[in-house]
Coordinates of all heavy atoms in Angstrom, one line a residue:
A30 N -9.7 9.2 -80.2 CA -10.7 10.3 -80.0 C -10.1 11.5 -79.3 O -10.3 12.7 -79.6 CB -11.9 9.8 -79.3
R31 N -9.3 11.2 -78.2 CA -8.6 12.3 -77.5 C -7.6 13.0 -78.4 O -7.5 14.3 -78.3 CB -7.9 11.7 -76.3 CG -8.9 11.4 -75.2 CD -8.1 10.9 -74.0 NE -9.1 10.4 -73.0 CZ -8.9 10.5 -71.7 NH1 -7.7 11.0 -71.2 NH2 -9.8 10.1 -70.8
Y32 N -6.8 12.4 -79.2 CA -5.8 13.0 -80.0 C -6.5 13.8 -81.1 O -6.1 14.9 -81.5 CB -4.9 12.0 -80.6 CG -3.7 11.7 -79.7 CD1 -3.7 10.6 -78.9 CD2 -2.7 12.7 -79.4 CE1 -2.6 10.3 -78.1 CE2 -1.7 12.5 -78.6 CZ -1.6 11.2 -77.9 OH -0.6 11.0 -77.0
A33 N -7.7 13.3 -81.6 CA -8.4 14.0 -82.7 C -9.0 15.3 -82.1 O -8.9 16.4 -82.7 CB -9.5 13.1 -83.2
K34 N -9.5 15.2 -80.9 CA -10.0 16.4 -80.2 C -8.9 17.4 -79.9 O -9.1 18.6 -80.1 CB -10.7 16.0 -78.9 CG -11.6 17.1 -78.3 CD -12.3 16.6 -77.1 CE -13.2 17.6 -76.5 NZ -13.9 17.1 -75.4
A35 N -7.7 16.9 -79.5 CA -6.6 17.8 -79.2 C -6.1 18.5 -80.5 O -5.7 19.6 -80.5 CB -5.5 17.0 -78.5
H36 N -6.1 17.8 -81.6 CA -5.7 18.3 -82.9 C -6.6 19.4 -83.3 O -6.2 20.4 -83.9 CB -5.7 17.2 -83.9 CG -4.3 16.9 -84.4 ND1 -3.5 17.9 -84.9 CD2 -3.7 15.7 -84.6 CE1 -2.3 17.3 -85.2 NE2 -2.4 16.0 -85.1
R37 N -7.9 19.3 -83.0 CA -8.8 20.4 -83.4 C -8.7 21.6 -82.5 O -9.3 22.6 -82.8 CB -10.2 19.8 -83.4 CG -10.6 18.9 -84.5 CD -11.9 18.4 -84.5 NE -11.8 17.1 -83.9 CZ -12.7 16.5 -83.1 NH1 -13.7 17.2 -82.7 NH2 -12.5 15.3 -82.7
G38 N -8.0 21.4 -81.4 CA -7.8 22.6 -80.5 C -8.8 22.6 -79.3 O -8.7 23.6 -78.6
G39 N -9.6 21.7 -79.2 CA -10.6 21.7 -78.2 C -10.1 21.2 -76.8 O -10.7 21.4 -75.8
L40 N -8.9 20.5 -76.8 CA -8.5 19.9 -75.6 C -6.9 20.0 -75.5 O -6.2 19.8 -76.4 CB -8.8 18.4 -75.6 CG -8.4 17.5 -74.4 CD1 -9.1 18.0 -73.1 CD2 -8.7 16.1 -74.7
R41 N -6.5 20.4 -74.3 CA -5.0 20.5 -74.1 C -4.6 19.2 -73.2 O -4.9 19.2 -72.1 CB -4.6 21.7 -73.4 CG -5.1 22.9 -74.2 CD -4.6 24.2 -73.6 NE -3.3 24.5 -74.3 CZ -2.5 25.4 -73.9 NH1 -2.7 26.0 -72.8 NH2 -1.4 25.6 -74.6
L42 N -3.9 18.3 -73.8 CA -3.6 17.1 -73.1 C -2.6 17.3 -71.9 O -2.7 16.6 -71.0 CB -2.9 16.1 -74.1 CG -3.9 15.5 -75.2 CD1 -3.0 14.7 -76.2 CD2 -5.0 14.8 -74.6
S43 N -1.8 18.3 -72.0 CA -0.9 18.5 -70.9 C -1.6 18.9 -69.6 O -1.1 18.6 -68.5 CB 0.2 19.6 -71.3 OG -0.5 20.8 -71.6
H44 N -2.7 19.7 -69.7 CA -3.4 20.1 -68.5 C -4.4 19.0 -68.0 O -4.8 19.1 -66.9 CB -4.1 21.4 -68.8 CG -3.2 22.5 -69.1 ND1 -2.3 23.0 -68.1 CD2 -3.0 23.3 -70.2 CE1 -1.7 24.0 -68.6 NE2 -2.0 24.2 -69.9
Q45 N -4.8 18.1 -68.9 CA -5.7 17.1 -68.5 C -5.1 16.0 -67.7 O -5.8 15.3 -67.0 CB -6.4 16.6 -69.8 CG -7.4 15.5 -69.4 CD -7.8 14.8 -70.7 OE1 -7.2 14.9 -71.7 NE2 -8.9 14.0 -70.6
A46 N -3.8 15.7 -67.9 CA -3.2 14.5 -67.3 C -3.2 14.7 -65.8 O -2.9 15.7 -65.2 CB -1.8 14.4 -67.8
T47 N -3.6 13.5 -65.1 CA -3.6 13.6 -63.7 C -2.6 12.6 -63.1 O -2.3 12.6 -61.9 CB -5.0 13.0 -63.1 OG1 -5.2 11.8 -63.7 CG2 -6.1 14.0 -63.5
Y48 N -1.9 12.0 -64.0 CA -0.8 11.0 -63.7 C 0.5 11.5 -64.2 O 0.5 11.8 -65.5 CB -1.2 9.6 -64.1 CG -0.1 8.6 -63.9 CD1 0.3 8.1 -62.6 CD2 0.7 8.2 -65.0 CE1 1.3 7.2 -62.4 CE2 1.7 7.3 -64.8 CZ 2.0 6.8 -63.5 OH 3.0 5.9 -63.4
V49 N 1.5 11.5 -63.5 CA 2.8 11.9 -64.0 C 3.8 10.7 -63.8 O 3.9 10.2 -62.7 CB 3.4 13.1 -63.3 CG1 4.8 13.4 -63.7 CG2 2.5 14.3 -63.4
Q50 N 4.3 10.3 -64.9 CA 5.2 9.1 -64.8 C 6.5 9.5 -64.2 O 7.1 10.6 -64.4 CB 5.5 8.7 -66.3 CG 6.5 7.4 -66.3 CD 6.7 6.9 -67.7 OE1 6.1 7.5 -68.6 NE2 7.5 5.9 -67.9
G51 N 7.0 8.7 -63.3 CA 8.3 9.0 -62.6 C 9.4 8.9 -63.6 O 9.4 8.2 -64.6

Side-chain angles (χ1 to χ4, degrees):
R31 287 186 184 206
Y32 276 104
K34 191 174 181 182
H36 245 312
R37 285 180 261 141
L40 177 66
R41 303 186 92 195
L42 292 175
S43 61
H44 295 295
Q45 182 193 10
T47 58
Y48 172 75
V49 177
Q50 181 178 356

